[in-house]
Amino acid sequence: MAVIITLQGVVPADIAVGLSPLAELMACLHSVAEPEHHLDVRPWLEHVSTALSEETRSLLAVYAPLWNRRRCRALLPLELPLGRTLEQELARLEALPLDEFVTVVAPGVHGGFFDTGDLLTDESVRGAYVLSCERRSFSRGELARRLVETPEQVRAGLLDLLRRCAAEFFDAEWARVRHRLESECARVRARIQALPLPEALASLSPNATVGRNPPAVVFDKLQSLRADPRGRRCLLVPSVHARPHLIVKDDTSYPVVVHFPVEGAGLAERATLAQVRLRLAILAEPARLELCRHLVNEPITTSDLAARTGMTAPQVSRHLGRLREVGLLTSRRDGRLVYHRLDTDCLMRLGVDVLTSIIR
């Protein structure tokens, strides 16, 4: 399964890179709703949790389907220009014709796959839609019912909630991350000008590959989607809080949007899925796992490891070489001796990398 953006006939002018505070707010709300997906921002999540008023907390539970799983297209840029303020983006959402609002929000409320094409005109489709949402969860069913019966109230409540979140925590967070996102936009624009488009877009994710015939970028996702931005533009929107998720939205009425994560300052580079698999395979070998029990406690030489484990020195050297190849071993020379030790920071990150690779 993969998300493929075909780039046949697409030129750099068809790609726009810019900021969207509303998209970043949605990413924040996703991490608040799904904290187990975002282990590296736990302190920030705890801070936000204490800042939320009870009324805001209650409303977040009501509207959570819009950002829990299948991010709502209405909360990503619907058109150019990028770089609007949050209030300008909210005003754009408020100005959407009501039927367009329902159409663009309904898939996010459902969170799965349901053909909403006749939702506005066919009563039986509306009933089936609400029932399908109810089967997914009670909260989705309730929000779906309100969306088809009183869409104006749903929109007003959503806008009120987003403005509450801005006042209670997001305005301060946007001020903190905006410069980092602007810098990332500049880097991506430079890559688009310097590299073939498939390579430039593949740089947005460590798990992306380049397709050649036709030219395309392929993102490894638990989703099957083929997007063609010709005639509609492709909007690239960086995010700090989207980590580790890369989101691609392809709704025919709007531009293709890629909401991609930016690694935070000071964070180690995320391992690719292939690196995670290899590290797990290396550690799964019983002899190497036994060596790790000695390597984690203190720096130790090859000969000492051989004496402790009963292996020959060449056997130990081969196992150490495999651990070093995947970045799990550090070595330092002291005179004639070389001391080895397990890289515990890398090992501790492995658990997060496994989770990140699964949910990316």
Side-chain angles (χ1 to χ4, degrees):
M1 300 177 73
V3 172
I4 303 170
I5 301 178
T6 59
L7 297 168
Q8 182 76 47
V10 178
V11 298
D14 295 324
I15 310 295
V17 187
L19 303 187
S20 168
L22 181 55
E24 190 68 8
L25 174 53
M26 179 170 63
C28 289
L29 294 178
H30 171 77
S31 63
V32 169
E34 303 277 359
E36 64 276 10
H37 287 189
H38 302 271
L39 301 177
D40 52 358
V41 292
R42 281 286 175 84
W44 179 83
L45 288 172
E46 291 171 1
H47 168 74
V48 169
S49 180
T50 60
L52 292 175
S53 66
E54 285 304 316
E55 188 168 0
T56 298
R57 198 184 307 275
S58 177
L59 288 170
L60 284 174
V62 171
Y63 286 94
L66 295 179
W67 42 78
N68 263 10
R69 182 175 181 272
R70 187 179 178 184
R71 305 317 178 275
C72 180
R73 181 66 181 86
L75 302 182
L76 292 166
L78 298 174
E79 62 189 10
L80 292 173
L82 296 172
R84 300 182 185 192
T85 66
L86 178 60
E87 189 52 44
Q88 287 172 331
E89 290 189 298
L90 294 179
R92 176 69 181 91
L93 185 59
E94 195 167 15
L96 274 182
L98 198 55
D99 57 349
E100 188 175 346
F101 173 80
V102 173
T103 300
V104 75
V105 168
V109 173
H110 187 277
F113 298 96
F114 185 95
D115 185 358
T116 59
D118 295 322
L119 190 65
L120 298 173
T121 57
D122 192 323
E123 185 67 33
S124 64
V125 172
R126 286 197 290 274
Y129 167 74
V130 172
L131 181 60
S132 181
C133 289
E134 287 175 343
R135 287 172 175 167
R136 292 183 60 78
S137 75
F138 175 80
S139 61
R140 290 187 188 278
E142 285 298 297
L143 188 55
R145 189 181 307 280
R146 291 178 56 214
L147 180 66
V148 298
E149 292 178 356
T150 57
E152 191 63 72
Q153 291 181 16
V154 170
R155 176 161 62 181
L158 175 60
L159 291 168
D160 175 65
L161 171 60
L162 296 173
R163 289 183 171 113
R164 284 174 175 273
C165 290
E168 292 183 18
F169 72 88
F170 182 71
D171 284 346
E173 183 63 8
W174 181 247
R176 187 183 72 86
V177 304
R178 179 172 180 167
H179 177 71
R180 189 189 311 170
L181 295 176
E182 288 174 340
S183 297
E184 181 65 15
C185 286
R187 285 191 289 269
V188 173
R189 291 188 192 107
R191 290 198 292 267
I192 289 172
Q193 294 302 317
L195 299 173
L197 277 182
E199 283 83 350
L201 268 63
S203 71
L204 302 180
S205 169
N207 287 322
T209 56
V210 172
R212 299 295 182 187
N213 191 21
V217 58
V218 182
F219 297 107
D220 181 17
K221 300 280 291 179
L222 289 176
Q223 176 186 3
S224 294
L225 173 67
R226 182 178 290 271
D228 185 348
R230 284 179 298 181
R232 292 187 292 139
R233 309 291 292 272
C234 182
L235 312 183
L236 307 184
V237 181
S239 170
V240 169
H241 286 274
R243 290 192 311 263
H245 308 290
L246 178 141
I247 307 298
V248 179
K249 288 292 185 179
D250 178 31
D251 297 80
T252 55
S253 300
Y254 307 106
V256 175
V257 173
V258 182
H259 194 217
F260 65 95
V262 177
E263 291 295 347
L267 288 178
E269 182 179 351
R270 288 286 183 229
T272 66
L273 183 58
Q275 288 171 324
V276 169
R277 287 173 174 162
L278 183 56
R279 285 172 179 171
L280 291 175
I282 293 296
L283 290 171
E285 209 284 333
R288 280 193 284 273
L289 195 58
E290 177 63 22
L291 286 173
C292 287
R293 297 179 63 192
H294 299 278
L295 289 162
V296 76
N297 291 320
E298 60 181 338
I300 188 170
T301 64
T302 300
S303 57
D304 282 343
L305 283 168
R308 291 189 187 187
T309 61
M311 301 182 203
T312 65
Q315 287 175 323
V316 171
S317 292
R318 283 195 295 272
H319 287 309
L320 293 179
R322 296 308 305 279
L323 290 168
R324 187 180 296 106
E325 287 172 8
V326 297
L328 292 172
L329 187 75
T330 61
S331 302
R332 64 173 178 84
R333 179 174 292 278
D334 187 0
R336 297 176 56 189
L337 300 177
V338 178
Y339 290 87
H340 312 286
R341 191 162 192 177
L342 200 65
D343 187 336
T344 53
D345 287 341
C346 183
L347 190 62
M348 290 180 68
R349 287 197 306 271
L350 183 57
V352 176
D353 287 338
V354 170
L355 178 62
T356 299
S357 298
I358 291 172
I359 65 178
R360 187 177 267 138

